[in-house]
Amino acid sequence: MQPNHQPAAVEAILSNGWIQQVRWFAEIDSTNAEARRSGLGTPLPALYVADRQTAGRGRLQRSWWSPEGCLMLTLAIGEESLPRDAAQWGELALVSGLAVANTLSRFVANGDVQLKWPNDVYLGQRKIAGILIEATPKIWLVGIGLNVAMRWDLAPEEVSSRATCIQRASGSAPERSVVLVELLEELQLALAAWRTGDGTWRQAWRDRCFLTGRIARIRLTERELVTGKCEGIDDQGRLIVRDEQGVHFLTAGEVIEWQ
Ligand code: BTN
């Protein structure tokens, strides 16, 4: 049986003073769903962590493979943690992604960790973490799934062939609770800087941009696609894509192919 590092991690997280409440589940449907159910009345920022999820949710109504070995959490924050200018709120996924990438770079080769616009963290050509942002009245949910040490023989084929984890990439498996504590430190710093208008995160994000210089096909809506050369993100966090028609600034979309 694995030693249980959870109580020490919870104590470390609460003693830092930023997170006001931690709820850690051996199993739950989805930490994002639980954070939604808890809603207002929970002291914020609140943290929801699960060892396993039975209905883990990904972006675009997809499911998220959620076995033990994946660090799965939702950070619930209030509007007071966001920049005053609501026009910037759409950057939350990018800022959170950068915090995840910076955390990962302590466990795997730093230069290999990249950010695939808008919400994915990649290691080489494989996804290692994903972020699901959900907004509810007055509360923002930052759901993060970060693959630490998975049983790949149990993974669905489409996950196994496209994803990786810290252990697969580096050969060693840190405790998820250790990764969690470091991730929260990164998130706290990143969100505080972002809220006060510090825009230095953008250059750090650009330095890790997976798509810059690549030709990519991006689905904007069910019928609308753009294919062109990616030139990184602009100051509003939009993906810049150049094709024969000119330059497109994409606020949302799904990158479905790249080379
Ligand atoms: C994606 O890449 O599509 C986003 C995946 C987000 C998964 C995390 S796991 C913790 C939290 N709870 C969920 O149900 N989803 C997010």
Side-chain angles (χ1 to χ4, degrees):
M1 188 148 158
Q2 294 291 312
N4 185 359
H5 296 266
Q6 178 195 319
V10 172
E11 199 184 314
I13 291 163
L14 289 172
S15 69
N16 164 292
W18 179 49
I19 301 291
Q20 301 301 305
Q21 179 176 304
V22 180
R23 294 183 56 206
W24 196 310
F25 303 89
E27 184 172 283
I28 197 156
D29 52 353
S30 150
T31 53
N32 269 41
E34 177 59 24
R36 239 176 215 279
R37 286 189 291 263
S38 300
L40 290 168
T42 307
L44 300 175
L47 178 69
Y48 302 79
V49 188
D51 293 332
R52 284 180 307 282
Q53 294 184 133
T54 54
R57 306 206 300 232
R59 281 183 73 229
L60 308 169
Q61 319 298 327
R62 299 205 174 107
S63 60
W64 178 259
W65 184 50
S66 301
E68 270 183 46
C70 182
L71 171 61
M72 294 166 290
L73 64 119
T74 298
L75 176 67
I77 55 177
E79 282 178 14
E80 65 286 350
S81 297
L82 302 172
R84 279 205 190 86
D85 179 4
Q88 281 180 263
W89 293 357
E91 297 170 341
L92 180 58
L94 303 179
V95 173
S96 306
L98 183 60
V100 173
N102 288 339
T103 306
L104 271 166
S105 70
R106 303 186 198 176
F107 299 97
V108 298
N110 174 31
D112 295 346
V113 185
Q114 291 193 297
L115 291 156
K116 180 165 149 279
W117 182 90
N119 291 21
D120 294 342
V121 186
Y122 265 61
L123 201 58
Q125 289 287 328
R126 285 171 182 263
K127 180 163 167 171
I128 190 163
I131 294 162
L132 177 65
I133 304 286
E134 293 182 293
T136 75
K138 305 266 178 229
I139 301 182
W140 286 67
L141 307 178
V142 181
I144 298 175
L146 193 168
N147 297 337
V148 176
M150 331 281 275
R151 283 278 311 273
W152 290 102
D153 55 325
L154 303 179
E157 156 58 23
E158 76 273 14
V159 179
S160 174
S161 59
R162 293 186 197 161
T164 192
C165 65
I166 294 177
Q167 183 176 40
R168 209 181 203 186
S170 73
S172 57
E175 285 300 328
R176 278 175 308 162
S177 56
V178 170
V179 181
L180 173 63
V181 169
E182 302 218 1
L183 172 58
L184 291 171
E185 279 169 23
E186 289 284 349
L187 281 167
Q188 183 182 12
L189 287 173
L191 293 176
W194 177 54
R195 194 174 70 82
T196 58
D198 177 348
T200 50
W201 66 270
R202 286 195 190 86
Q203 190 50 47
W205 204 101
R206 289 179 183 123
D207 291 344
R208 289 197 186 275
C209 182
F210 177 82
L211 293 171
T212 297
R214 292 182 193 265
I215 306 288
R217 189 186 300 272
I218 300 126
R219 192 190 301 285
L220 307 182
T221 63
E222 210 162 292
R223 291 162 177 222
E224 232 185 327
L225 288 172
V226 172
T227 303
K229 188 162 185 175
C230 298
E231 298 183 352
I233 56 165
D234 71 1
D235 282 349
Q236 278 86 55
R238 299 176 299 186
L239 184 68
I240 307 166
V241 182
R242 189 180 292 274
D243 66 7
E244 286 103 48
Q245 271 79 56
V247 183
H248 305 264
F249 297 90
L250 310 183
T251 49
E254 185 191 7
V255 181
I256 52 176
E257 278 172 40
W258 61 88
Q259 33 177 284

